[in-house]
Amino acid sequence: MNILVIGTGYVGTTTAIVFAELGWHVTGLDTDAQKIDQLKQGKLYFYEPGLEELLNKHLQSHQMGFTTDKVKAIQENDVIFICVGTPSHADGSADLKYIKQVTEDIGQIMNGYKLVITKSTVPVGTQEQVVAWIQAAQLKSHPFDTASNPEFLREGKALQDAMNPDRIVIGSNSDRATNMIQTLYQSVKCPIIVTTPKTAEMIKYASNAFLATKISYMNELARLCDPLGVNIKEVAEGMGLDPRIGLSFLQAGIGYGGSCFPKDVSALIQAAKTNHIELHVLEKVVYVNQTQHLWLLSKARERLGDLANKKIAILGLAFKPDTDDIRESPSIRLIESLISEKADVYVYDPVASLPANSHFKSIKCCKDMDEAIDGADALFLCTEWSVFERIDWAEMKAAMNQPNIFDGRNVLDAGKMKDIGYFYQGVGYS
C-alpha cells in the first residue's frame, strides 16, 4: 500500500517519516510550496530530535517524497491520512475548515477506492461529516472507507512515541478499513484498540484533557504546599508510587502549553456546552493553568517590590524542552505580564525564538545566557532545558545585580542554590 499524508505540519511530517521507516512508500502533500521545497531538501522546518536524520535517509532511498500536486497525489495513493490543522474558533470550538477542504478535494479527485484516515484531532462526530463531505463532492461515485486513527505524540519525543507507542486506536465501521490499518502497523508491537469512530475521537480528547487535569491539580496543590512549608516534589513522588496514580505529569510548574492541551481542553469544554453539559472540572483546569504564572510572579513582587525598570532574565521560551514550539507557552504569558509592569525583559532559549513579526518589541532576545543574566535583578526559569541545569550558578551569581531565582519548573536544587547565596523560589518547592 502506498500512503499519502495530507498536511505536512508537525503531525503530518512525523507521520510520513515514521511510515517510511516502517517500510511503506509515503508521499507528503501540502499547499505550502516553500514548506514542501524545504522538506524535499531534507530540511526539517521545526525542531524535533531524530526526525531530520530519518527524513534524509528516506529521501535518499526514495521511500518518501513530497509534492504540491494534489491531483496526482490523491489519484496515485489508496491510503490517505488527513493531518491538517484544526485551530480554535474564538469560543474554543474546533475549526474544521481545513478538514472540509481536504475531504472535498478527495471526493472530487478520487479515481477509485480510497481509505481516508483522519489523524488530526477532531471533535466527536467528525467522521460522519467526513463521509458526507466526500460524498457531496464526488463527481463520479467511487467506493471509499473512512477511519479515525488519532495521534498521541509528545513534542520532543515524537519519534520515540511513534515507533514505540503505548497504544494504537482505530475507529472504523468497516472491517476492510480496520484490516488495512492493522496491516500498516503490523511491525509495531503495542495494544491495538478497535472501536467506533466517535469513541476513537473521544479517546484522543479525553486523554489530553486528563493529562492537563493532572498538571493543573499539582500546580494548584503546589500553591497550598508553599505556605504550609511542604515540598511538592516529595508529595508528587509519594503520590506517584501508587500505581493507580503514576509518576507522570505530576511535576508542578508554571503551567502547560503547546498546540494540543490548551486547544483540546477548550474544544472538549465547548463540545460539552453544545450538548448542554457543564464540564466543571475542566473549566477549573483551564483557569488554574491561565493563572499559574501569576502566582510565581506574585512571589517576585514580594521579593523585589515594584518590577518597573528592573532587569528580568527569562530562561526558556519553548513550552517544554526538546522543541521550538512556543504556542501557548507559559513563558509567553509571563513575559506579557512583566511587560505590562514595565520590567526590562531579557530572554534566552537554546532553540526556540520569537517570530519576526512578534508584538514583543520591547524585549531583548539574547544570543547567549550571559547576556540575559548579566545585571539581572531576577531570573525566571521557564523551560527545563538540560543546559540550564549545567550552568555554573556560582559564577552566574556574580554577574547578577540581585541573586534572585524563580524556578518555574523546579529544575534546580533549592538547597544548593541557597548555599551559593541565591534567594530561591520554586513552585511549591523552596
Side-chain angles (χ1 to χ4, degrees):
M1 290 183 284
N2 292 334
I3 297 172
L4 173 64
V5 176
I6 301 181
T8 56
Y10 180 86
V11 171
T13 301
T14 303
T15 297
I17 292 171
V18 167
F19 273 119
E21 180 69 5
L22 293 177
W24 303 103
H25 186 272
V26 186
T27 301
L29 170 67
D30 206 292
T31 57
D32 188 332
Q34 184 176 359
K35 186 186 294 183
I36 290 297
D37 286 343
Q38 193 169 340
L39 290 169
K40 282 181 175 180
Q41 295 171 30
K43 298 176 182 178
L44 205 62
Y45 61 92
F46 56 88
Y47 181 79
E48 183 64 37
L51 275 189
E52 191 163 276
E53 292 83 352
L54 284 184
L55 170 64
N56 281 279
K57 169 186 173 182
H58 294 300
L59 285 173
Q60 292 169 13
S61 68
H62 304 291
Q63 193 72 27
M64 69 184 304
F66 295 92
T67 185
T68 57
D69 186 343
K70 63 183 178 183
V71 174
K72 183 178 180 181
I74 290 171
Q75 290 186 347
E76 291 184 354
N77 293 276
D78 295 336
V79 179
I80 303 173
F81 280 90
I82 299 177
C83 299
V84 296
T86 53
S88 297
H89 286 295
D91 64 359
S93 61
D95 185 348
L96 299 180
K97 62 184 177 184
Y98 300 119
I99 299 284
K100 185 174 186 291
Q101 181 60 60
V102 164
T103 54
E104 288 175 343
D105 287 343
I106 293 170
Q108 291 171 4
I109 295 170
M110 62 192 297
N111 56 342
Y113 175 81
K114 304 293 177 185
L115 170 56
V116 181
I117 306 165
T118 304
K119 192 166 275 291
S120 302
T121 301
V122 294
V124 176
T126 297
Q127 211 59 39
E128 295 171 358
Q129 291 182 275
V130 167
V131 172
W133 287 331
I134 293 175
Q135 289 176 335
Q138 282 188 322
L139 301 176
K140 180 180 179 181
S141 181
H142 291 289
F144 68 92
D145 284 312
T146 64
S148 175
N149 176 220
E151 52 86 15
F152 299 97
L153 304 176
R154 294 171 295 170
E155 291 192 49
K157 299 187 184 300
L159 182 57
Q160 172 186 327
D161 290 346
M163 298 303 298
N164 302 282
D166 298 317
R167 76 285 203 196
I168 293 169
V169 176
I170 302 171
S172 177
N173 295 317
S174 162
D175 289 340
R176 180 181 183 181
T178 299
N179 290 335
M180 288 176 70
I181 297 173
Q182 287 177 321
T183 299
L184 293 177
Y185 289 109
Q186 63 188 355
S187 61
V188 178
K189 304 303 179 185
C190 72
I192 295 180
I193 307 298
V194 177
T195 184
T196 65
K198 283 186 175 181
T199 302
E201 292 161 347
M202 178 57 90
I203 287 171
K204 170 61 177 180
Y205 273 114
S207 297
N208 279 358
F210 182 70
L211 295 175
T213 300
K214 290 182 75 173
I215 294 170
S216 281
Y217 173 74
M218 294 306 293
N219 287 343
E220 192 166 41
L221 199 63
R223 301 185 195 184
L224 175 61
C225 286
D226 188 74
L228 294 177
V230 174
N231 183 343
I232 189 65
K233 295 175 75 172
E234 293 180 358
V235 173
E237 182 181 10
M239 292 169 59
L241 292 174
D242 184 331
R244 296 170 300 175
I245 297 173
L247 286 165
S248 63
F249 287 83
L250 294 185
Q251 294 74 37
I254 54 170
Y256 59 78
S259 62
C260 295
F261 286 8
K263 177 173 68 72
D264 294 352
V265 173
S266 294
L268 193 54
I269 290 171
Q270 190 58 37
K273 289 180 178 178
T274 301
N275 287 277
H276 310 293
I277 301 293
E278 296 291 331
L279 296 180
H280 297 294
V281 172
L282 288 186
E283 289 170 0
K284 290 298 183 182
V285 165
V286 173
Y287 174 78
V288 171
N289 193 60
Q290 291 177 342
T291 60
Q292 185 67 6
H293 72 287
L294 297 175
W295 179 88
L296 192 59
L297 187 59
S298 71
K299 292 294 182 180
R301 284 196 216 95
E302 290 176 10
R303 177 68 177 174
L304 297 170
D306 188 355
L307 298 177
N309 301 316
K310 289 189 170 66
K311 179 176 178 178
I312 307 297
I314 302 290
L315 295 189
L317 276 173
F319 83 96
K320 63 182 291 187
D322 296 321
T323 180
D324 59 355
D325 195 345
I326 64 170
R327 287 174 289 182
E328 300 289 337
S329 174
S331 181
I332 302 299
R333 293 194 286 269
L334 178 62
I335 290 170
E336 290 173 338
S337 296
L338 287 166
I339 290 174
S340 71
E341 299 194 27
K342 296 181 169 48
D344 296 328
V345 182
Y346 286 65
V347 177
Y348 171 76
D349 188 288
V351 172
S353 60
L354 292 172
N357 61 350
S358 168
H359 63 281
F360 297 120
K361 303 301 182 184
S362 63
I363 74 170
K364 173 66 174 177
C365 293
C366 304
K367 294 182 178 180
D368 56 58
M369 283 184 286
D370 292 344
E371 183 183 2
I373 294 173
D374 186 42
D377 294 293
L379 180 154
F380 284 84
L381 201 159
C382 298
T383 311
E384 57 271 42
W385 287 100
S386 59
V387 65
F388 296 154
E389 299 179 58
R390 300 193 299 268
I391 294 175
D392 185 338
W393 287 104
E395 181 180 327
M396 286 297 179
K397 176 177 173 289
M400 294 182 71
N401 185 45
Q402 299 184 61
N404 298 305
I405 289 185
F406 299 90
D407 187 349
R409 295 300 179 187
N410 292 346
V411 171
L412 306 177
D413 186 302
K416 290 181 180 179
M417 300 311 292
K418 289 181 178 181
D419 287 343
I420 293 171
Y422 284 98
F423 169 83
Y424 175 90
Q425 174 68 57
V427 182
Y429 168 67
S430 59

